Amino acid sequence: MPIDTPDWVRDAVFYEIFADRFARSSRMTPIGPYEPWDAPPTTYGFKGGDLYGVAERLGELADLGVTALYLTPVFSSASNHRYHAYDYLHVDPLLGGDDALRELLDRAHERGMRVILDGVFNHCGRGFWPFHHVLENGAASPYRDWFHLDPAVLSGSVGLNAYPDRGGATGGAALGYRAWWGLPALPKFNVDHPVTREYLLSVAEHWLRFGADGWRLDVPGEIDDRAFWQEFRRRCRAIDRDAYIVGELWDEAPEWLEGDRFDAQMNYPLGTAILGFVGGNHLDQDVIRRHDSYRRMLHPLDGPAFATRLEALMSNYDPAVVAVQLNLIGSHDAPRALTILGGDRTALRLAMVLQLTLPGAPCIYYGDEIGMEGDHDPDNRRAYPPDPNAGDRDLRAFVRTLLAARHEHRALRRGSVRILSASGGGVAYLREADGQKAIVAVNAGPGRSTLALPIFEDDSYRPIELPGLPSGSQWSGSVDLPPETALVLVGA
């Protein structure tokens, strides 16, 4: 079928916000004690960030160059991450409730910003009202078919064991129901049940009608039901023709992006390739080994290997999909990019050059632009500084400059990409869109790199000054780059 992806995403710059950790508004009266904002985050602790706080800091994000937000889950839940909802039709009161989301959407839309929400439709929380009903009534509950209950539970011979030792994963048989990764707090929905299926689809419709601009979908591969996701897309697009639908798919997944389910994926394959290329000997292998996905995906790459990987990722998908992939180098589910890179801020700058100039919509994980660090969850979810002048301001100026160039020059955000040359620790590629051109050259290696740039006499380019990186040498058919630097040329 024809692939139709939202045009606005091609120009978008996303910013991922973990709502409990971004900003706390003075308009919210604390209902009880929170963890100190500056203290290291804990698994169960709450910092008290809210959506009014996000709305109040939109000006800073607009100044950076952000044009879209991705909010991790905001629906009522008994966890700081809110990936196990107990009420899908209301925003968590600790985040300000529905009124706070209403204000955030309105303020964002006034600025021309889009907002996508996080949809968790594979599993819910133990407090979700149908599951609570099953907990109280067992097999007698009319909601029993909403979940995957064991035969012994359905026969009435045993009850559910929803509260074994806190925090541990157990086998499904010990619980009496299927749960995500065996975690008792996360009962898995039975989407084959028509009533459950309809409920989840109606939730998706409800929040689009409320004003959300799309959905990021949590662990969609665990709902291995093509018809469900086809119906999800059809109904979402019936409400909003431009709704963006992006799946959390960690590996290459062209079969999911054929026009009938998702527009894009969270582009971890590209992100890990970027980190592997710029990281080199700086990569923190201990941090990488302790991450289930990164230890198999993230490896050091030289220039030619990165170029080969990039060409494969660009050719595995329809161009309309490549144009709207959600390109990231960090998220709430991975250690911070700067931590992965062993604290090397120059390497982080190079990673951002690539992330912000390749096809697709870049997504900045909150705080990466000011050099926030963090190991595995919960450390990667530290609180964002309340002082707007805190953090690495030089790094922020670098990101702001790159984003301004991206917004100004169409070839840096739309159109095609072609590898020009790759050798040693360097790679150079050409971006073209509607007759406009841009060239990006990056040397991530410890030695100088000479990269061929087949620039014709009728082409005229000027460099974008990148604060904090050495300037590239003169170019005329090739460029000689010092170690760990980049050159971005745009058509004059």
Side-chain angles (χ1 to χ4, degrees):
M1 66 181 300
I3 293 179
D4 177 24
T5 54
D7 187 67
W8 66 266
V9 180
R10 290 162 171 77
D11 299 320
V13 174
F14 281 87
Y15 193 84
E16 179 188 349
I17 291 178
F18 192 94
D20 182 64
R21 306 291 159 79
F22 187 67
R24 187 190 294 173
S25 173
S26 61
R27 288 188 285 166
M28 288 286 290
T29 301
I31 64 168
Y34 291 118
E35 281 187 346
W37 191 259
D38 294 332
T42 62
T43 299
Y44 298 105
F46 288 76
K47 298 290 187 185
D50 58 78
L51 298 184
Y52 287 121
V54 176
E56 290 163 4
R57 300 194 75 164
L58 288 179
E60 297 171 43
L61 299 181
D63 174 77
L64 182 65
V66 170
T67 65
L69 304 181
Y70 153 41
L71 304 178
T72 57
V74 298
F75 308 131
S76 297
S77 172
S79 69
N80 55 45
H81 54 74
R82 296 178 171 86
Y83 276 93
H84 42 39
Y86 64 76
D87 187 344
Y88 282 82
L89 294 175
H90 289 288
V91 173
D92 198 308
L94 294 180
L95 296 178
D98 295 359
D99 289 346
L101 180 59
R102 172 80 279 140
E103 179 170 320
L104 174 57
L105 289 172
D106 290 346
R107 286 199 188 186
H109 290 161
E110 287 169 3
R111 291 179 174 273
M113 284 185 181
R114 312 271 184 150
V115 181
I116 66 169
L117 303 180
D118 204 321
V120 189
F121 301 130
N122 175 69
H123 52 266
C124 60
R126 284 177 293 212
F128 182 49
W129 51 269
F131 190 75
H132 176 73
H133 203 278
V134 175
L135 280 179
E136 294 292 330
N137 299 286
S141 171
Y143 295 105
R144 62 185 177 271
D145 291 335
W146 283 53
F147 308 97
H148 298 274
L149 303 184
D150 292 350
V153 174
L154 291 172
S155 70
S157 60
V158 299
L160 299 181
N161 181 26
Y163 290 89
D165 290 342
R166 183 173 185 176
T170 68
L175 302 175
Y177 57 94
R178 286 181 62 188
W180 185 69
W181 283 24
L183 294 168
L186 302 174
K188 181 176 172 62
F189 283 119
N190 176 18
V191 298
D192 291 334
H193 183 49
V195 180
T196 311
R197 197 180 188 95
E198 177 59 30
Y199 174 81
L200 295 174
L201 294 170
S202 71
V203 168
E205 292 175 315
H206 171 79
W207 292 107
L208 291 178
R209 291 193 184 99
F210 193 84
D213 298 293
W215 286 102
R216 176 270 188 187
L217 298 166
D218 186 61
V219 295
E222 302 204 24
I223 303 179
D224 192 12
D225 181 336
R226 191 172 194 129
F228 174 83
W229 292 119
Q230 289 172 329
E231 181 70 0
F232 183 94
R233 180 183 185 84
R234 186 189 69 77
R235 289 173 62 163
C236 287
R237 286 297 184 87
I239 292 170
D240 182 354
R241 181 69 186 78
D242 289 327
Y244 181 44
I245 304 173
V246 57
E248 184 204 8
L249 302 164
W250 282 71
D251 296 292
E252 294 171 68
E255 70 278 8
W256 284 82
L257 306 178
E258 296 177 340
D260 63 336
R261 286 182 281 181
F262 305 153
D263 297 310
Q265 70 182 108
M266 297 184 76
N267 205 353
Y268 287 104
L270 177 61
T272 51
I274 289 173
L275 293 174
F277 172 53
V278 304
N281 294 330
H282 304 294
L283 292 172
D284 190 324
Q285 295 294 346
D286 176 64
V287 172
I288 293 170
R289 280 191 296 270
R290 289 185 285 113
H291 190 277
D292 287 340
S293 295
Y294 274 19
R295 66 170 169 255
R296 62 179 175 80
M297 298 174 69
L298 207 167
H299 310 284
L301 300 173
D302 63 9
F306 176 69
T308 298
R309 185 78 178 114
L310 184 59
E311 287 179 323
L313 291 172
M314 296 297 139
S315 63
N316 281 353
Y317 302 90
D318 187 279
V321 171
V322 172
V324 298
Q325 291 276 56
L326 193 67
N327 294 343
L328 46 85
I329 58 172
S331 77
H332 66 285
D333 282 325
R336 288 273 180 179
L338 186 56
T339 299
I340 289 285
L341 296 171
D344 188 326
R345 291 172 185 262
T346 299
L348 179 61
R349 280 176 164 83
L350 298 181
M352 288 178 162
V353 168
L354 295 165
Q355 180 195 13
L356 303 182
T357 62
L358 282 168
C363 182
I364 298 169
Y365 184 40
Y366 78 98
D368 277 0
E369 78 283 2
I370 58 170
M372 285 180 62
E373 299 184 66
D375 206 314
H376 293 265
D377 175 21
D379 193 47
N380 58 344
R381 304 170 181 181
R382 298 180 190 179
Y384 188 83
D387 181 356
N389 295 311
D392 187 337
R393 308 312 293 174
D394 291 337
L395 179 60
R396 186 186 186 279
F398 174 86
V399 175
R400 186 176 184 272
T401 297
L402 267 174
L403 290 180
R406 179 183 174 89
H407 291 311
E408 182 179 354
H409 301 284
R410 190 176 180 85
L412 289 176
R413 65 182 191 274
R414 287 182 175 244
S416 63
V417 62
R418 176 166 62 90
I419 300 297
L420 297 176
S421 61
S423 64
V427 66
Y429 52 86
L430 173 70
R431 296 296 314 275
E432 290 187 272
D434 303 322
Q436 298 183 20
K437 296 180 181 180
I439 292 175
V440 179
V442 175
N443 177 19
R448 299 188 75 87
S449 179
T450 299
L451 298 167
L453 301 182
I455 302 175
F456 301 102
E457 291 183 0
D458 59 347
D459 288 327
S460 177
Y461 293 86
R462 64 178 179 83
I464 301 295
E465 293 296 327
L466 301 176
L469 284 181
S471 298
S473 62
Q474 294 297 314
W475 60 91
S476 179
S478 68
V479 62
D480 182 37
L481 289 177
E484 294 190 301
T485 193
L487 179 67
V488 178
L489 303 171
V490 294

